[in-house]
Amino acid sequence: MTVFWILAAGLTVLALCLLLPALLRTRPDAVVRTDASQANLTILRAQLAQLDAEHAAGSLDADQHRSARAEIARRVLDEEAVAAPPRRAGAARTTALSVGLAVPLFALVGYGFLGNMDALSPRSAAAAPEAEVTPEQVTAMVESLAKRMQQRPDDPVGWTLLARAYGALQRFPEASQAYARAVDLSPKDAQLLADHADVLAMLQNRSVSGEPARLVAQALQIDPKNLKALALAGSAAFEQKDFALAITHWTLARQLAPADSDFAAGLDSSIAEARGLAAGAGGVAAAPASAAAANATTMPAPAPASTTPSAAVTGRVTL
């Protein structure tokens, strides 16, 4: 707060330094013009007296005297207009004082109306912690969106948003219904198909077999480089013990994944596991996909059914 007032005072002083000198300054050229005009008036008055003397002596007749006197009178009026006394210095000082008081006063009043005085108080800023959205508020917002979508059933963007919100809340049946509606409205959207397959896999205990695999294949027909669809396709092939195909899908997904990300690390782990199983495929039973394979999707990824108690699925969902 102190820094703010120091800066405000500095800017006010700067503004006054620009305004006040112009109000108090006496213009030298005006003084020069005044002095010259006074000298000219003295000369004209002398000429007028000489003209009257010549007329009295008979050197000039009445018409010549009248004409010459009129010309001199005109020149006297012109010089008197130029030599008008300047404004009193006291008036300039009064104006400068008024401006000096008005500028900071108007600045304070203007900030009082347009600014936020409470924001200058550190205590008020500290007393206003960042608002956190509670789970109940999130649920209420999602339910509000669901009601709004009943009034706008042909909005694919709204249905997609609602589906992802349900997925974030792990309400997978409702998420699947919303994704189905969004896919009906945008059947050529590969990402929607992959997201729907992901949710269906969660409803099938993280198994990609069946309808999820069909949706993944449809998504890859539309976009062969869809990252999520490739990861899910690898999981589906892994479930079928087709390790070579799983490696193919995951390798392509690894090339598209952001470098040095957890997503890429999960794919590397899954590829290594699939290669190990493919190398020992001469009678070794297929092991379940690791947690890294499960992390290959944006949402908690569908992975093959686990027979190892230590296998786990972890992930982070951001709404």
Side-chain angles (χ1 to χ4, degrees):
M1 181 175 181
T2 303
V3 175
F4 171 82
W5 289 118
I6 291 175
L7 292 176
L11 292 174
T12 303
V13 171
L14 178 61
L16 293 176
C17 289
L18 296 175
L19 291 174
L20 297 183
L23 295 175
L24 296 174
R25 186 183 303 121
T26 301
R27 298 179 58 186
D29 56 342
V31 175
V32 172
R33 285 200 302 270
T34 300
D35 294 341
S37 297
Q38 292 294 341
N40 292 336
L41 282 173
T42 301
I43 295 173
L44 290 172
R45 290 191 183 99
Q47 290 179 353
L48 187 61
Q50 182 180 359
L51 186 64
D52 291 340
E54 291 179 353
H55 175 63
S59 300
L60 294 176
D61 58 22
D63 292 337
Q64 290 175 335
H65 177 263
R66 187 168 42 255
S67 176
R69 188 179 180 82
E71 175 62 23
I72 292 176
R74 184 187 63 77
R75 293 177 59 188
V76 168
L77 291 176
D78 292 341
E79 293 297 336
E80 286 179 346
V82 175
R87 292 181 301 171
R88 291 179 296 110
R93 286 194 295 269
T94 302
T95 303
L97 180 61
S98 301
V99 172
L101 293 176
V103 168
L105 180 61
F106 285 149
L108 288 175
V109 173
Y111 187 82
F113 280 102
L114 302 177
N116 183 8
M117 298 296 291
D118 293 335
L120 300 178
S121 175
R123 288 179 299 178
S124 64
E130 182 179 355
E132 295 183 359
V133 181
T134 64
E136 292 76 12
Q137 290 174 322
V138 173
T139 302
M141 288 188 288
V142 173
E143 294 300 334
S144 175
L145 176 60
K147 292 180 181 179
R148 188 157 60 247
M149 292 314 302
Q150 298 302 322
Q151 302 172 358
R152 300 166 57 185
D154 297 328
D155 181 7
V157 176
W159 284 111
T160 302
L161 179 61
L162 180 61
R164 289 174 179 165
Y166 277 140
L169 296 176
Q170 297 188 6
R171 295 171 59 175
F172 299 118
E174 294 92 335
S176 177
Q177 294 175 4
Y179 272 126
R181 181 58 182 166
V183 169
D184 288 341
L185 296 172
S186 301
K188 298 300 182 180
D189 191 325
Q191 188 62 47
L192 276 179
L193 291 167
D195 290 340
H196 192 193
D198 192 5
V199 169
L200 288 177
M202 297 301 294
L203 290 173
Q204 296 180 176
N205 195 24
R206 297 183 176 84
S207 173
V208 195
S209 301
E211 182 64 12
R214 187 190 69 80
L215 293 176
V216 167
Q218 186 178 350
L220 289 177
Q221 288 180 352
I222 298 172
D223 182 7
K225 292 186 178 182
N226 183 277
L227 192 56
K228 190 170 191 177
L230 287 170
L232 290 172
S235 296
F238 193 97
E239 287 184 29
Q240 301 299 320
K241 301 182 177 59
D242 190 345
F243 304 121
L245 183 58
I247 292 171
T248 299
H249 287 309
W250 283 337
T251 299
L252 181 55
R254 178 63 181 83
Q255 295 172 357
L256 300 173
D260 301 327
S261 63
D262 293 339
F263 189 95
L267 288 173
D268 288 337
S269 179
S270 298
I271 292 170
E273 184 177 3
R275 284 175 176 169
L277 292 174
V284 179
S290 65
N295 281 335
T297 58
T298 304
M299 297 282 294
S306 176
T307 59
T308 303
S310 61
V313 177
T314 60
R316 179 178 179 181
V317 177
T318 301
L319 175 58

